[in-house]
Amino acid sequence: MAIPVIDFSRLDGDDRAAVMAEIAAGFEEWGFFQLVNTGIPDELLERVKKVCNDCYKLREEGFNTSNPAVKALAALVDKEGEGLAMRKVEGMDWEDVFTLADDMPWPSIPPTFKETMMEYRRELKKLALKMLGVMEELLGLEEGHIAKVFSKDGDFEAFYGTKVSHYPPCPRPELVDGLRAHTDAGGLILLFQDDRVGGLQVLGRDGLWADVQPVENAIVINTGDQIEVMSNGRYKSAWHRVLAIREGNRRSIASFYNPARAATIAPAIPAAADSSTGADYPSFSFGDYMEVYLKQKFQAKEPRFTSAAAMTKKTMD
């Protein structure tokens, strides 16, 4: 079954109700969907592809010589030549990655990288805020509620960061993960993925992995753990992963609109009547949650909620 692809330009027209229903279904049934015709100019998206590809070319040698997963796989293949049993590389990802945020150093080469990516981040933030508004409407929340929670009533700036990743060709993709299965820690994630090279998969409610198919100039939307808590389980964060691949260099530009670390995250609506327990999710500070998440990112998420709530309670006692 394919991940939903939604024409976002229809939201402001006569089809608004239908589009809102499609987005609600994407949040509830998958936790992932793709938006096309978002209003971000195609010309800008093409420039983003170019500067990120050019940037990776400058990093490629470092990846091939220094990346821990590359070294581990090479050592494993050497053992195979010695007739030893093969085991998958664990605890590492076949990924070249760096992060962009307003208060962090940016690559200076290629020369147009910073200008292009700053323009892209501005446009994408507009889309993020519009999507938060859609989510608030669907959940029956007051306009601006999520942004207010994320900023702790305006006392702090919500975090907005961008992760630029490449997943280069892997000679033995069956022996290493591109990116291990996980849920995202934060709020709303907006991904500009490669429109030719696949590999991203999401775990469906049926327990089967489904491809997030490449769609030219689409923005993939998914929700993080904090939205699961705020929606009291209605919009669950989805497990997803990236497969290592033998051919093609997959580009992935993920932007995260997350709470400030001081923000308190709690359910904003009652638990659904058909929820498995009928109980509300716990509340906690996002900073405490991140402490837990950084240690348990690739483990079950429910214990993360419980541990973060216990940390916050202990701090307040």
Side-chain angles (χ1 to χ4, degrees):
M1 187 173 179
I3 304 303
V5 178
I6 301 170
D7 183 349
F8 200 58
S9 67
R10 296 164 52 227
L11 182 68
D12 297 324
D14 295 338
D15 293 337
R16 178 179 176 79
V19 175
M20 291 290 283
E22 291 175 21
I23 292 173
F27 280 136
E28 293 179 11
E29 296 172 13
W30 284 101
F32 261 77
F33 53 88
Q34 305 201 56
L35 296 180
V36 295
N37 299 322
T38 60
I40 301 175
D42 284 348
E43 178 272 334
L44 172 58
L45 295 176
E46 293 300 325
R47 283 191 283 127
V48 168
K49 295 176 193 177
K50 184 178 188 311
V51 296
C52 288
N53 289 345
D54 289 348
C55 190
Y56 175 72
K57 291 175 184 177
L58 301 171
R59 298 169 58 87
E60 184 173 15
E61 183 178 355
F63 176 83
N64 290 330
T65 58
S66 303
N67 184 276
V70 173
K71 292 181 177 181
L73 182 61
L76 199 62
V77 172
D78 286 344
K79 290 181 180 179
E80 182 182 33
E82 298 169 6
L84 300 177
M86 299 297 287
R87 292 188 304 174
K88 191 171 183 177
V89 173
E90 296 183 352
M92 301 179 192
D93 302 308
W94 192 267
E95 177 188 33
D96 176 79
V97 58
F98 61 94
T99 301
L100 304 174
D102 291 342
D103 59 351
M104 297 174 63
W106 287 51
S108 57
I109 302 175
T112 56
F113 180 88
K114 184 173 182 178
E115 175 187 353
T116 299
M117 293 304 293
M118 287 184 70
E119 181 181 355
Y120 169 73
R121 277 170 45 83
R122 286 194 298 271
E123 291 294 320
L124 201 70
K125 189 173 184 179
K126 295 177 188 175
L127 178 60
L129 293 174
K130 191 168 185 177
M131 282 304 304
L132 291 182
V134 168
M135 195 181 303
E136 288 162 348
E137 184 175 342
L138 290 171
L139 293 173
L141 299 175
E142 179 183 354
E143 183 179 354
H145 177 83
I146 296 176
K148 184 177 179 180
V149 170
F150 279 17
S151 65
K152 198 174 176 65
D153 293 328
D155 291 342
F156 299 89
E157 286 284 336
F159 175 79
Y160 177 52
T162 299
K163 187 182 86 162
V164 180
S165 300
H166 282 83
Y167 302 92
C170 178
R172 298 292 298 273
E174 75 280 8
L175 295 178
V176 65
D177 294 304
L179 180 60
R180 287 162 285 168
H182 63 287
T183 64
D184 289 323
L188 185 69
I189 298 86
L190 303 95
L191 169 67
F192 183 31
Q193 71 163 345
D194 202 292
D195 50 19
R196 290 180 174 80
V197 183
L200 175 62
Q201 295 186 324
V202 58
L203 187 63
R205 304 293 190 241
D206 58 3
L208 300 177
W209 289 101
D211 293 329
V212 182
Q213 67 274 24
V215 176
E216 186 172 12
N217 290 348
I219 301 295
V220 181
I221 302 292
N222 72 282
T223 48
D225 298 341
Q226 309 314 301
I227 295 298
E228 177 167 338
V229 173
M230 292 186 68
S231 70
N232 225 348
R234 184 179 300 181
Y235 295 167
K236 287 184 168 60
S237 56
W239 288 88
H240 52 286
R241 67 184 183 184
V242 177
L243 302 178
I245 50 176
R246 194 177 295 274
E247 296 181 0
N249 183 11
R250 172 183 167 77
R251 179 187 62 254
S252 172
I253 307 164
S255 296
F256 303 83
Y257 194 85
N258 289 351
R261 293 184 72 92
T264 298
I265 305 301
I269 61 173
D274 60 352
S275 69
S276 58
T277 65
D280 288 341
Y281 277 65
S283 62
F284 44 74
S285 84
F286 183 59
D288 287 340
Y289 186 80
M290 285 306 299
E291 283 195 39
V292 175
Y293 181 85
L294 291 173
K295 298 173 185 175
Q296 302 179 18
K297 176 178 179 178
F298 303 106
Q299 301 173 27
K301 63 182 169 182
E302 290 76 10
R304 301 198 296 250
F305 298 143
T306 304
S307 297
M311 288 177 64
T312 300
K313 185 177 185 302
K314 185 176 180 180
T315 301
M316 295 175 66
D317 287 347

